[in-house]
Amino acid sequence: MILLALPITIMADSPGEALQRFEAGDYEDALEVYENLLEDTPDAARLNYTAGAAAYRAGDFKKAGKYFEDATSAPGEVPLELQERAYYNLVNTLFRLGEAGRR
């Protein structure tokens, strides 16, 4: 029984599993998986970006902003296309936060 449960546990914290949850519209579950993955690799630009996307879709704009910002400032070389998307989404997130603050 334990051996049968092991692959499910391993798969549950994979980028592929997070992406499946995201594409299925389970943004909060996807975010949880991305956050678990970021515990081991907090400086991973692409994981921070996708965590930001999941948080944004889940309506958690504060977390989304943090993750998009972390994606832009990750150590090492971040691909230009990823930087552009992260900055674009960061600005949209900040707009949403400002919009919520005016209500």
Side-chain angles (χ1 to χ4, degrees):
M1 277 310 246
I2 293 174
L3 292 177
L4 294 176
L6 185 59
I8 294 170
T9 304
I10 291 171
M11 190 174 80
D13 284 344
S14 72
E17 178 64 22
L19 181 61
Q20 282 182 335
R21 292 177 186 197
F22 185 91
E23 289 176 343
D26 297 331
Y27 304 118
E28 290 175 359
D29 289 343
L31 177 58
E32 185 178 329
V33 175
Y34 285 126
E35 288 177 329
N36 289 339
L37 292 167
L38 283 166
E39 287 178 8
D40 295 331
T41 53
D43 296 331
R46 194 163 306 278
L47 279 178
N48 275 293
Y49 176 81
T50 52
Y56 186 93
R57 292 281 180 97
D60 191 337
F61 301 120
K62 203 173 233 183
K63 273 188 181 182
K66 177 210 176 296
Y67 288 126
F68 288 136
E69 190 170 338
D70 289 351
T72 64
S73 61
E77 192 169 325
V78 178
L80 183 58
E81 183 182 336
L82 182 62
Q83 282 183 1
E84 290 170 345
R85 287 187 289 161
Y87 278 119
Y88 177 85
N89 287 306
L90 176 58
V91 170
N92 281 333
T93 300
L94 293 173
F95 175 80
R96 293 288 188 147
L97 283 169
E99 192 176 53
R102 292 188 306 166
R103 291 183 192 168

